[in-house]
Amino acid sequence: MFIDRGFPLCYKKCVFAVLLLLTVSLAGRDYNLVILPQQAVKVGDKQYQLMKSFDTSIKQIKRKMYGRPDIRSDILINEDSYRVYAFYNLSPSAKWHRMYIIGRDGKVWARIFK
């Protein structure tokens, strides 16, 4: 009789523990790496290095943001060795509002601002 009453309580504790661990692991996830290409590496506070070329990185990010009416994008600087492309998030509750993709001398970085 004691085992029958104790099992549901133990079950609820186990489910709570699993949900708590899942929540903690999802909260620690870097949302910015989700919107950037797969090979992006965090190198600083809201600064990421992209392993693809500038044009490939822009295409991949545009593909991920396709169909979102609150995202705008535009090329800011387009010179031989220095290029900057900007994405703007117009949603007031967004986790980011400006993202700059910077290409210089064959290396590509992403900077994200709130």
Side-chain angles (χ1 to χ4, degrees):
M1 187 169 169
F2 178 71
I3 295 173
D4 293 337
R5 291 184 185 173
F7 179 71
L9 184 60
C10 180
Y11 175 73
K12 290 179 184 177
K13 285 181 183 178
C14 290
V15 169
F16 178 72
V18 168
L19 289 176
L20 183 64
L21 289 173
L22 184 62
T23 304
V24 169
S25 67
L26 290 177
R29 183 177 180 191
D30 191 355
Y31 175 75
N32 297 329
L33 287 175
V34 174
I35 60 175
L36 293 173
Q38 287 182 339
Q39 293 81 12
V41 177
K42 187 172 186 172
V43 293
D45 188 34
K46 298 192 182 206
Q47 183 175 0
Y48 303 87
Q49 185 171 5
L50 307 178
M51 301 302 168
K52 302 279 185 175
S53 69
F54 184 82
D55 295 324
T56 305
S57 297
I58 296 298
K59 286 178 187 176
Q60 287 180 350
I61 294 171
K62 280 185 174 182
R63 191 177 311 130
K64 287 186 177 187
M65 305 216 184
Y66 179 76
R68 292 185 56 186
D70 56 340
I71 303 292
R72 303 284 187 263
S73 61
D74 191 20
I75 186 103
L76 299 180
I77 299 172
N78 191 8
E79 295 181 4
D80 291 336
S81 64
Y82 190 75
R83 296 164 62 178
V84 177
Y85 199 91
F87 289 92
Y88 302 101
N89 194 339
L90 304 177
S91 175
S93 63
K95 296 185 181 211
W96 62 275
H97 291 287
R98 293 175 294 151
M99 176 172 48
Y100 298 108
I101 309 299
I102 305 163
R104 183 175 180 192
D105 297 330
K107 294 184 181 180
V108 183
W109 292 276
R111 293 289 310 241
I112 297 176
F113 298 94
K114 175 76 177 155

